[in-house]
Amino acid sequence: MFGSQPPLRVPVGADAHRWSTFQSERTLVVAARTVTSTVRVLETLPSLLRGDGRVTVVFAHDPTSAFNAGVLDLLHEAGCRVMPWEQLGRTTPDLILTASENIDVPEGDCPVLVLPHGIGFQKYVPDSRSSTDRLSGVVPDSLLESGRAWLAVSHPAQEEQLLATHPKSAGHTLLVGDPCYDELVVSRSRRNAYRDALGVAEHQRLVMVSSTWGPTSLLGRHPDLLSRLLSQLPYDDYRVGAIVHPNVWSAHGAWQIHTSQAAAALDAGLLLMPAVHAWRPALVAADVVIGDHGSVTLYGAASGTPVLLAAFGSDAVPGTAVHDLAAVAPRLDTRGDLLRQVEDLIREHTPRRYAAVAERAFAEPGQALARLRTALYRLLNLAEPASPPPSPLLLPVPDPPASPVTSWQVTTLVTGDSEAPTVSVRRFPAAATAHDDAHPDTSTCSTHLACVDDERDHRLAESASVLVRRRAASTSVGALRWIEETLARFPGSLLAVSDVRGGCCLVGLRDGRIVEAATTGPVTDPTLPAAVVYACLRAGRPLDDTHVTLRIGAGRDEDVALRVRPRPHRPRY
């Protein structure tokens, strides 16, 4: 009946009522063009329309963006009803909602509400319609001239900026605030839950690296920074994560990121956050943000988190809140001592350091969803529901995104007398240590390679001085058998280590001795007591009936008792 064109799909179209179960009063079409903009709508819209069956929502996929990869997958995973973009011109929606300013809206008279997909209008981006750059977040002049476009902003300063650069936006901005920022603030109460989910211990600090997209971004300028951080921040004191702009995932693909750009860092325990949703609880969990001129860095600073800028591109717009941040945030010397810079930042930071930046970026905090719902229903020409205005929800707990570390470069330092020595241990993921300078090696200060038994790189396992069984043995006999077989299979190793379930840690030496290492505290990683035994061997300290203070990282102390156990049989290695 429509000639060569496909029929209009339910639930839109003149004939839709014949097939629809739910009969609505208004139709809202979400224009989905990029992952970034689509996610912003998916995170915001449910709270605005919750429980209101008067509005039918349909998503229209615009495939013309350079960053369109992943949009359809995202919509289908969310259970959205999606129609082809060309169908939008043959429908009569009551409102088009989008967080992408660069859509080609079909002719008509329905209003178009444009949400920001970041913070304001603070970046110049390539214009897909020409060879020049444009201000991110601003719709084409033709849509402004039509009077159909309404631009949501988070601060009056953004309205002033738009009036100065795009006078046709006069009277068509809506001051609503920022729902994403509101969620970050209210979710601070669940910070410990997010840290637990990410595997960050109470004594550890989480350093989140945030990168926008493009050549001037943090990862565009310093692609090895993730591995360098992992090689310099001690494993037992720090966790390192990364929030990478969805446009990077869309443009280059997860395969490229996982196998090339971030491969070594992932092997070293990097918490690489998925492209959507999970970055928000990770940002709340962070102790430090190392970032650039992207919105995530500004969100972190405005939330009170210490910030180091590792890059700041010329594509950032002067006079915006992110430029205010650049004026007060310290810069990271990416080739300097990263640990010292992070520790100095934490020590010198004050919670109100970026308060003025936050006040310039976000107006009326906590009210964004309520204001946005009012604006949405006004544009739909529909009475707002009688239910209470929506308020920001707590962010969900993220799934742990990291793979376990399977090998470490372990540095030990022995101090004190022979009767009460202290062994200080610092571990760094071996996959990242190629980016670091060599550590000193003396009788009291030495470095060794330790690998667990599921290390996939056989070259590392064959080079390891210490081999560790990841899962505890059920009995001492099983642990001793594993030790014997492991030392026989890897003749270059000096120690083989296995926990015994419900008991102590057994360390097998190549000379046939078995050392029982019992800790008084909650040390659950056998690599640590193994490091004590290794350090005492190198320093010529006794191993029998010796009490050692194990100092982990920056000063967490545990007591370790060493005792040489008799072996039930002679080794075969």
Side-chain angles (χ1 to χ4, degrees):
M1 69 177 67
F2 294 99
S4 61
Q5 298 205 13
L8 291 171
R9 297 184 178 182
V10 178
V12 297
D15 207 28
H17 67 278
R18 298 180 58 205
W19 315 101
S20 299
T21 299
F22 305 117
Q23 305 299 315
S24 63
E25 300 178 31
R26 298 288 189 274
T27 298
L28 187 155
V29 173
V30 176
R33 189 168 186 267
T34 66
V35 169
T36 312
S37 58
T38 304
V39 166
R40 182 54 64 96
V41 175
L42 290 175
E43 291 172 347
T44 304
L45 191 57
S47 294
L48 307 181
L49 297 178
R50 181 177 176 82
D52 192 350
R54 297 176 298 167
V55 182
T56 289
V57 178
V58 183
F59 290 75
H61 175 227
D62 178 357
T64 61
S65 171
F67 303 113
N68 70 333
V71 175
L72 275 177
D73 291 339
L74 180 63
L75 293 173
H76 291 153
E77 288 171 6
C80 300
R81 188 68 173 94
V82 183
M83 68 178 180
W85 185 254
E86 59 270 16
Q87 184 176 329
L88 181 57
R90 297 187 290 123
T91 63
T92 55
D94 298 285
L95 175 65
I96 295 175
L97 174 66
T98 184
S100 175
E101 74 280 6
N102 208 23
I103 60 171
D104 289 317
V105 180
E107 292 184 1
D109 56 5
C110 78
V112 180
L113 176 57
V114 183
L115 307 180
H117 56 260
I119 302 175
F121 312 93
Q122 58 185 26
K123 186 176 180 180
Y124 294 112
V125 296
D127 185 1
S128 61
R129 295 178 173 86
S130 70
S131 60
T132 62
D133 291 340
R134 61 176 179 82
L135 182 62
S136 177
V138 182
V139 299
D141 283 345
S142 58
L143 193 56
L144 289 173
E145 291 169 356
S146 72
R148 296 170 60 193
W150 294 88
L151 306 181
V153 299
S154 64
H155 194 277
Q158 296 166 12
E159 295 177 308
E160 297 170 5
Q161 177 191 7
L162 282 177
L163 284 174
T165 57
H166 291 75
K168 295 174 183 177
S169 67
H172 280 264
T173 58
L174 298 171
L175 178 60
V176 297
D178 189 308
C180 182
Y181 177 68
D182 290 350
E183 286 183 334
L184 291 170
V185 172
V186 76
S187 296
R188 296 288 292 184
S189 63
R190 295 199 74 191
R191 185 170 184 268
N192 289 338
Y194 304 145
R195 291 170 65 85
D196 289 344
L198 294 172
V200 181
E202 185 177 352
H203 63 272
Q204 290 179 314
R205 289 166 171 168
L206 174 60
V207 176
M208 291 303 303
V209 177
S210 168
S211 178
T212 188
W213 61 277
T216 66
S217 67
L218 184 152
L219 289 182
R221 289 185 170 175
H222 309 292
D224 67 340
L225 181 59
L226 295 173
S227 291
R228 286 183 54 79
L229 283 165
L230 287 158
S231 73
Q232 293 191 35
L233 302 185
Y235 178 83
D236 294 295
D237 296 331
Y238 286 90
R239 299 301 306 274
V240 177
I243 298 169
V244 180
H245 195 286
N247 284 0
V248 180
W249 293 91
S250 183
H252 299 282
W255 188 92
Q256 176 76 15
I257 292 172
H258 284 114
T259 60
S260 289
Q261 269 66 31
L266 288 168
D267 287 344
L270 176 72
L271 296 165
L272 180 59
M273 306 313 298
V276 299
H277 303 310
W279 70 268
R280 297 176 298 161
L283 190 63
V284 174
D287 296 285
V288 171
V289 173
I290 296 177
D292 53 19
H293 52 294
S295 292
V296 173
T297 308
L298 184 50
Y299 278 128
S303 301
T305 306
V307 168
L308 281 169
L309 290 178
F312 197 85
S314 58
D315 46 339
V317 179
T320 57
V322 76
H323 253 277
D324 291 349
L325 175 63
V328 293
R331 302 300 176 103
L332 179 74
D333 177 2
T334 59
R335 295 298 163 180
D337 186 330
L338 302 179
L339 176 60
R340 179 186 57 77
Q341 293 179 77
V342 168
E343 291 181 337
D344 288 348
L345 174 73
I346 294 172
R347 183 176 60 255
E348 297 168 2
H349 181 73
T350 59
R352 296 284 299 171
R353 181 168 191 168
Y354 306 118
V357 175
E359 291 168 2
R360 179 170 168 78
F362 309 109
E364 303 291 338
Q367 301 300 314
L369 286 176
R371 286 173 171 266
L372 196 52
R373 188 178 80 163
T374 298
L376 183 80
Y377 277 91
R378 180 171 62 82
L379 293 174
L380 282 169
N381 194 24
L382 196 63
E384 193 171 351
S387 58
S391 58
L393 300 175
L394 295 174
L395 297 169
V397 173
D399 294 326
S403 300
V405 177
T406 53
S407 57
W408 295 267
Q409 184 187 78
V410 184
T411 298
T412 59
L413 173 66
V414 182
T415 57
D417 55 38
S418 59
E419 295 183 358
T422 295
V423 176
S424 300
V425 177
R426 281 197 167 185
R427 296 188 296 170
F428 303 85
T433 52
H435 295 266
D436 198 16
D437 298 330
H439 292 269
D441 200 1
T442 65
S443 61
T444 58
C445 182
S446 61
T447 299
H448 66 271
L449 176 64
C451 291
V452 296
D453 54 354
D454 56 357
E455 170 59 62
R456 296 179 61 193
D457 189 337
H458 68 91
R459 295 169 300 178
L460 282 175
E462 291 172 351
S463 302
S465 299
V466 177
L467 296 166
V468 180
R469 184 176 186 170
R470 185 181 292 280
R471 294 190 177 184
S474 57
T475 64
S476 294
V477 173
L480 292 171
R481 184 182 302 114
W482 181 87
I483 288 171
E484 182 175 332
E485 293 172 352
T486 299
L487 289 174
R489 190 165 68 253
F490 296 96
S493 63
L494 300 178
L495 308 178
V497 188
S498 175
D499 270 341
V500 179
R501 194 175 304 156
C504 60
C505 177
L506 296 182
V507 183
L509 281 60
R510 182 151 295 281
D511 62 10
R513 287 180 291 171
I514 294 293
V515 178
E516 179 182 302
T519 59
T520 57
V523 176
T524 58
D525 190 334
T527 308
L528 294 168
V532 171
V533 175
Y534 183 93
C536 289
L537 275 175
R538 288 295 305 263
R541 300 297 178 94
L543 296 176
D544 199 10
D545 295 326
T546 300
H547 291 271
V548 180
T549 297
L550 167 61
R551 181 156 296 161
I552 306 169
R556 189 164 53 97
D557 290 356
E558 303 290 350
D559 293 328
V560 181
L562 304 180
R563 180 174 70 89
V564 177
R565 289 179 53 163
R567 286 186 58 87
H569 52 78
R570 297 293 299 170
R572 295 194 299 268
Y573 39 87

